[in-house]
Amino acid sequence: MPTWMIYGATGYTGQLVAEAAVINGHQPLLAGRSEAKLRSLAQRLGLDYAVVSLEDTEQLNKVVASVDAVYHAAGPFVYTSAPMLRACLAGGTHYLDITGEIPVYQQAFHYDSAAREKGIAILPGMGFDVIPSDCLLKYVADQLPDARHLEVVVAALDATSASGLSAGTAKSELEILAQTGNVIRREGQLMEVPLGWGGRWFQLPSGRQFILPLPWGDVEMGYHTTDIPNITAYIAFPAAAARVLRITSPLLRAAVKSAAVRRFLGKILDASLPGPSSTMRTVRRSWIWAQVQNAEGETRQAWLETIEAYRLTAEASWRVMERVLAGGLRGTLTPAQALGPDFVLMLPETQRHDVLPSAP
């Protein structure tokens, strides 16, 4: 009898999570909307499946109540997380997702008290967004308890190509820009800044790259993890594209607010972004840097070197689920709050460096 469920199991990330679960001795229930896709995946992996729509509240509640935890992998989460969260609360079922969408994090913390009353955990951001960066932020923040400023740099993709991105991730990024815009955190509050603002060159262990402030989930989750009021998250980004963003920022911001434009762009993304190949997932590395600073100018910093982003999500998924099913977690928690700052070091080929390592 399955004890947990993967919803959105036939998507790019959902399939990776299901495969990793089976390899490591788990038998999750596969769930989603397409019977044909679910049947094919279930036969290949030897798993049970359930066809259920998020709009069918009665059936969704029934399926969710039949398991102890849901691993929610169907985005964009700004549309899909609310019905699944409500179903989990109704069924007393733990909720985990892999979103990087700031409004979804905010929604999850809104349900904190309800989750505690039900005795369940709500754990958003349990993938590459944002397990590794959240663990690193906690690690450096613990070294400087009076820190007031936090910067994080994430370099997970080839800065000259989108070939390492899945369509689902790209569509979620569109929703982030539509819902919150490009945000940083200042004195505890989210503040919107123009796209293309604040870019600079930065020395990564893998080479010098241009980085740009973008609404990575740490702007929200890092605040809950560290209580640091000033947070800027940077993503490695092509310098030429950053210049285009600066020029077109007002037009682009207006465009992505249109649901029709996002649907049109979503169809293009579905056709053009299949996600990284198996070879890419094997050979690519991701780098994350974090620095905290207090009012006196003291700083602490560290690097994290990890496996490729989607591979990391799959490798983390079953480990996180085992931690949840072991019991003891209640309410809405960030990855570092739930798992501790050293959890990320349990993942394959992952290292933390207190000083800048030599280029590989």
Side-chain angles (χ1 to χ4, degrees), residues 4 24 26 317-327:
W4 59 287
N24 290 281
H26 291 260
S317 60
W318 61 272
R319 291 175 168 89
V320 173
M321 189 58 70
E322 287 183 348
R323 175 68 182 87
V324 171
L325 295 176

Side-chain angles (χ1 to χ4, degrees), residues 154-231:
V154 178
L157 301 173
D158 179 349
T160 64
S161 169
S163 62
L165 203 63
S166 75
T169 300
K171 287 189 285 187
S172 286
E173 292 300 320
L174 284 178
E175 294 298 334
I176 293 171
L177 291 176
Q179 298 292 329
T180 65
N182 190 30
V183 292
I184 59 176
R185 188 172 290 276
R186 291 295 179 267
E187 297 305 322
Q189 303 299 313
L190 292 179
M191 183 176 80
E192 186 170 359
V193 296
L195 285 166
W197 168 90
R200 57 191 172 93
W201 289 97
F202 189 79
Q203 185 63 45
L204 290 159
S206 55
R208 190 167 177 261
Q209 290 191 32
F210 196 78
I211 61 172
L212 190 67
L214 286 171
W216 190 256
D218 292 314
V219 175
E220 180 69 23
M221 295 290 264
Y223 184 53
H224 290 278
T225 295
T226 68
D227 289 324
I228 295 175
N230 301 287
I231 302 174

Side-chain angles (χ1 to χ4, degrees), residues 2-24:
T3 58
W4 59 287
M5 176 176 86
I6 304 170
Y7 190 85
T10 61
Y12 179 83
T13 305
Q15 290 190 55
L16 295 178
V17 169
E19 290 165 358
V22 171
I23 289 171
N24 290 281

Side-chain angles (χ1 to χ4, degrees), residues 68 89 92-95 108-109 111-124 323-334 337-339:
D68 296 321
L89 286 165
T93 302
H94 300 295
Y95 170 94
F109 280 97
Y111 284 114
D112 176 56
S113 295
R116 292 180 186 278
E117 290 175 7
K118 280 285 187 176
I120 65 169
I122 295 177
L123 307 179
R323 175 68 182 87
V324 171
L325 295 176
L329 297 179
R330 298 290 184 271
T332 303
L333 301 167
T334 69
Q337 288 173 334
L339 308 167

Side-chain angles (χ1 to χ4, degrees), residues 201-269:
W201 289 97
F202 189 79
Q203 185 63 45
L204 290 159
S206 55
R208 190 167 177 261
Q209 290 191 32
F210 196 78
I211 61 172
L212 190 67
L214 286 171
W216 190 256
D218 292 314
V219 175
E220 180 69 23
M221 295 290 264
Y223 184 53
H224 290 278
T225 295
T226 68
D227 289 324
I228 295 175
N230 301 287
I231 302 174
T232 304
Y234 296 86
I235 306 295
F237 201 85
R243 288 192 291 271
V244 173
L245 277 181
R246 283 198 300 271
I247 296 169
T248 62
S249 177
L251 180 62
L252 180 60
R253 179 78 169 100
V256 297
K257 283 185 176 182
S258 166
V261 169
R262 295 199 303 278
R263 284 194 297 270
F264 173 74
L265 293 175
K267 292 178 181 178
I268 296 175
L269 294 170

Side-chain angles (χ1 to χ4, degrees), residues 136 139-140 143 288-291 299-305 351-357:
L136 187 64
Y139 174 74
V140 294
Q143 298 178 41
I288 302 169
W289 172 83
Q291 176 177 275
T299 63
R300 300 290 186 276
Q301 63 174 294
W303 284 94
L304 194 67
E305 178 187 1
Q351 300 177 58
R352 189 171 60 207
H353 309 274
D354 285 305
V355 295
L356 182 67

Side-chain angles (χ1 to χ4, degrees), residues 50-64:
V51 181
V52 58
S53 167
L54 293 172
E55 286 74 41
D56 187 345
T57 302
E58 182 178 352
Q59 179 64 10
L60 181 64
N61 286 350
K62 180 180 178 180
V63 173
V64 168

